[in-house]
Amino acid sequence: MTFTSDFASTRLSNALNYGNQPGDAVISTKAVFQSLSVDDQLAVLWYAYTEMGRSITPAATGAARLQIAAGLLNQIKQMSHAEQLNVMRDLAAKRNTQISRSYGILSNNTKLAFWYELSELMVKGFIVPMPAGYQLSRDGIQVLEAIKQLDFGQQITVLRQVVAEMGIDPFDD
Ligand code: 45D
């Protein structure tokens, strides 16, 4: 029944969309995302990717951009699953590690392309998979629903802002 899910989504997006300014949905979605646990942040990114995957073309993410992040991606590819998960948790939690600092100097679009590529590598089996039956928190489900309500441009804005703040900026004192 679409009635139930439409009703639920409208309620969720109303709850997350304070006011009527077009930018508000982006700002509130980002704020709720950043209040999630690190694991839920990773899970929401993954689910967002699986929902958006079809709309993002590999060409659009730019081969040149990924060239810059290739060293980093290769380094992560060589790691055990447990280490890969730690790297992603460190990035989301802004822990100061060598990888978090390398990530921090990428441009915001390259950071987004980096996460996109990690997802592609997950699909190909090179990166630790989501555990089967992972239980997303209620807030996590809300954020995901809110992201789905945004138009494509707003979705990219939210995701770009969220990944932009991950990692460590080594030039930031
Ligand atoms: O054991 O440059 C848990 C365009 C639980 C064009 C886990 C663009 C515990 C210009 C933590 C869940 C605008 C199109 C395990 C770019 C546990 C341009 C594992 C846009 C194992 C860049 C969790 C691109 C894991 C866009 C492994 C929109 C989670 C890109 C992994 C969007 C999550 C990219 C990952 C997105 C998520 C990437 C890798 C949304 C990646 C998401």
Side-chain angles (χ1 to χ4, degrees):
M1 279 309 277
T2 54
F3 173 76
T4 323
S5 64
D6 285 352
F7 176 71
S9 323
T10 308
R11 252 189 13 213
L12 289 166
S13 79
N14 284 346
L16 279 152
N17 191 0
Y18 318 112
N20 294 307
Q21 296 300 310
D24 286 2
V26 168
I27 293 164
S28 56
T29 306
K30 180 189 165 196
V32 185
F33 180 95
Q34 290 178 326
S35 75
L36 297 176
S37 71
V38 161
D39 279 14
D40 270 6
Q41 290 188 18
L42 294 175
V44 167
L45 277 184
W46 168 254
Y47 294 131
Y49 160 80
T50 60
E51 298 280 338
M52 294 176 76
R54 279 153 272 123
S55 350
I56 314 164
T57 68
T61 63
R65 277 190 219 297
L66 281 171
Q67 219 38 55
I68 301 165
L72 207 51
L73 288 162
N74 272 329
Q75 205 181 331
I76 298 170
K77 235 168 116 175
Q78 312 300 319
M79 295 175 172
S80 69
H81 279 182
E83 288 172 320
Q84 292 172 341
L85 181 56
N86 278 338
V87 163
M88 288 186 265
R89 283 174 166 159
D90 287 346
L91 287 171
K94 305 184 215 282
R95 277 190 208 101
N96 195 345
T97 65
Q98 177 258 317
I99 290 194
S100 290
R101 290 191 300 275
S102 306
Y103 174 90
I105 57 173
L106 303 174
S107 75
N108 292 347
N109 271 336
T110 305
K111 286 175 182 164
L112 200 48
F114 165 89
W115 283 101
Y116 177 80
E117 188 58 20
L118 272 186
S119 303
E120 295 278 286
L121 291 172
M122 274 172 80
V123 172
K124 292 177 192 152
F126 291 112
I127 299 287
V128 56
M130 284 286 294
Y134 180 73
Q135 270 297 314
L136 195 57
S137 68
R138 285 190 49 160
D139 283 352
I141 294 167
Q142 286 209 350
V143 175
L144 194 62
E145 285 304 319
I147 292 173
K148 286 192 210 166
Q149 301 298 312
L150 302 174
D151 64 44
F152 188 65
Q154 289 177 313
Q155 290 177 341
I156 288 177
T157 302
V158 169
L159 292 168
R160 192 192 282 118
Q161 289 184 6
V162 152
V163 301
E165 288 175 29
M166 290 181 172
I168 289 281
D169 183 346
F171 304 116
D172 208 22
D173 287 310

